């Protein structure tokens, strides 16, 4: 099993590699935290309310991270808070 810091570095690198595709559609996804097996990612932009959210995030990103990294028990997506 990897130490937490190594796992977080790997997660960040993987996110960077997929952000290009998400950014191209006007959305974004960022690392928030990893604690007790729960990976929290923040989504923003056109991802919020997108009809393809389930396919891209739930069946794409979430399942991929869980398969590649058995240390990840679940992936939670939060919405980026608007700075008004």
């Amino acid at each position: 099993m990897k130490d937490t810091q190594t796992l977080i570095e790997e997660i960040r690198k993987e996110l960077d590699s997929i952000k290009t595709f998400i950014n191209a559609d006007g959305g974004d996804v960022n690392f928030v935290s990893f604690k007790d097996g729960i990976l929290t990612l923040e989504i923003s932009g056109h991802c919020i309310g997108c009809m393809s959210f389930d396919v891209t995030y739930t069946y794409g990103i979430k399942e991929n991270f869980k398969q590649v990294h058995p240390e990840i028990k679940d992936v939670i997506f939060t919405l980026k808070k608007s700075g008004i």
Side-chain angles (χ1 to χ4, degrees), residues 10-66:
E10 289 179 7
I11 291 168
R12 288 179 182 271
K13 285 179 187 174
E14 290 169 32
L15 276 176
D16 285 345
S17 71
I18 61 174
K19 283 173 74 97
T20 304
F21 302 105
I22 293 170
N23 293 158
D25 284 337
D28 203 5
V29 59
N30 291 293
F31 175 86
V32 174
S33 66
F34 177 73
K35 184 176 180 182
D36 299 326
I38 308 298
L39 172 61
T40 303
L41 302 175
E42 178 184 71
I43 63 166
S44 61
H46 289 138
C47 292
I48 299 172
C50 176
M51 295 180 78
S52 298
F53 178 85
D54 280 342
V55 173
T56 302
Y57 286 89
T58 304
Y59 300 110
I61 295 172
K62 180 177 185 172
E63 291 305 315
N64 183 63
F65 272 118
K66 287 171 61 179

